[in-house]
Amino acid sequence: MGEISPFVASVSTRIARHAAAYTAELDAAAHPERMSLDTFAVHVEAVLDDYDPPSARRRHSDTLVFPHLYGAARDPRPDEEGWRVPSAVPAALMAAEVEFRGPLRLSARQNTLLAEEYEAIGAQLSEVGLATHAALAFRRAMALYRVNEDDEAEDRCGLQLARANTRGLPHGLRRWAGQGSYLLCGHGYRPSWLLGWVILQMLVFTGVALLLGGQAVDDTIYMGVTGFLNPPGPGDTQELPRAVRTLFVVEAWTGAVSMSVFFALLVRKWFRM
């Protein structure tokens, strides 16, 4: 790492001071995390008010302004105050916000570097239970990857953003629904996971049909597997017990919904705009 200029050193000191004050407020846990994030924005604005780079053009277009702060956050030392999250991590998030929102125009390389820093910071914030702060970091990373048209990285951060948003919800139905969305298809970013659930559904319906009986085993297996995609007609099920006929109706509806969702997600992933 090269020598830090006096201007960068001065701004870094202000960031560290604001980050320490903010970490103390955050550790006190006097407010919900979202309210704390509003306070974080106030601290960022305070730094930006005095952030007046010498030039709107940076000499090196392949570096960031605060790499030393990001490096310190990767392996932070515990603060003497014993805060649950070392102040180096909020300082890195604050520095990234200053770079993201500051007057210096970022190059494509800088977009990628800053997105990677945001992604790493988001992962650290998730580990310490600051889901809303992590969501901010992943949201910024998504925006930067989108500018560079890096769809794979954008989807990766989109999945982490959705998970952070889910963890930030209060315990209840909405949080359970979010967890279910993750398990089924990775919040829409992993449609292939849904195929595993499709196979599991076919096995369950076929197994239940075998337990209920009413026809030969090979015929039950055939109808259980094909009925998921091609619902059997009245002529196929008229000699079956009512419970088995009802089971195949439920399987047909489940298959229609599951495959519709799967193809919708697949089309979105393959032909995204």
Side-chain angles (χ1 to χ4, degrees):
M1 183 185 301
E3 184 179 352
I4 301 175
S5 69
F7 171 76
V8 174
S10 175
V11 177
S12 299
T13 300
R14 291 202 301 274
I15 290 175
R17 186 173 65 250
H18 280 281
Y22 176 70
T23 305
E25 299 171 17
L26 190 63
D27 193 68
H31 303 288
E33 188 187 352
R34 189 172 298 278
M35 293 180 64
S36 297
L37 197 58
D38 294 335
T39 305
F40 175 80
V42 173
H43 283 284
V44 173
E45 291 292 343
V47 176
L48 284 171
D49 286 342
D50 297 328
Y51 186 61
D52 186 19
S55 173
R57 291 182 176 274
R58 194 176 307 168
R59 181 179 301 175
H60 302 291
S61 62
D62 59 346
T63 60
L64 298 175
V65 177
F66 306 110
H68 54 292
L69 294 181
Y70 306 134
R74 291 191 191 98
D75 188 20
R77 293 177 297 179
D79 294 293
E80 295 180 0
E81 293 79 1
W83 293 322
R84 60 170 170 156
V85 52
S87 62
V89 180
L93 181 61
M94 200 171 292
E97 284 290 281
V98 171
E99 294 213 50
F100 182 83
R101 298 168 54 185
L104 296 178
R105 184 175 181 179
L106 301 176
S107 67
R109 174 60 178 164
Q110 288 162 347
N111 282 336
T112 298
L113 291 174
L114 189 57
E116 291 172 349
E117 297 297 347
Y118 267 124
E119 195 173 354
I121 295 167
Q124 288 180 290
L125 292 168
S126 294
E127 289 178 0
V128 295
L130 296 178
T132 304
H133 291 70
L136 171 64
F138 289 127
R139 190 178 301 111
R140 295 291 196 234
M142 279 187 69
L144 291 167
Y145 283 131
R146 187 180 302 118
V147 169
N148 282 3
E149 299 181 346
D150 190 341
D151 294 339
E152 183 177 351
E154 183 184 349
D155 282 354
R156 184 177 65 244
C157 288
L159 173 59
Q160 295 303 322
L161 172 60
R163 295 195 68 188
N165 284 333
T166 299
R167 286 192 292 266
L169 293 172
H171 291 283
L173 181 60
R174 290 182 59 196
R175 186 166 183 174
W176 281 108
Q179 294 288 2
S181 174
Y182 170 71
L183 291 174
L184 286 173
C185 56
H187 294 293
Y189 291 98
R190 300 292 185 268
S192 59
W193 293 6
L194 198 55
L195 282 181
W197 287 103
V198 165
I199 295 173
L200 179 61
Q201 290 174 56
M202 285 192 292
L203 292 175
V204 169
F205 280 111
T206 302
V208 173
L210 288 171
L211 291 175
L212 293 175
Q215 64 177 353
V217 172
D218 53 347
D219 291 337
T220 301
I221 293 175
Y222 175 80
M223 292 187 66
V225 173
T226 61
F228 194 83
L229 300 175
N230 183 27
D236 301 316
T237 60
Q238 61 182 357
E239 297 182 359
L240 296 177
R242 178 175 298 178
V244 178
R245 291 202 304 270
T246 303
L247 178 69
F248 284 135
V249 170
V250 174
E251 181 188 30
W253 278 101
T254 304
V257 173
S258 298
M259 298 311 298
S260 296
V261 172
F262 169 72
F263 284 115
L265 295 177
L266 196 63
V267 168
R268 172 191 171 277
K269 187 174 181 65
W270 283 358
F271 302 103
R272 58 187 301 173
M273 299 299 293

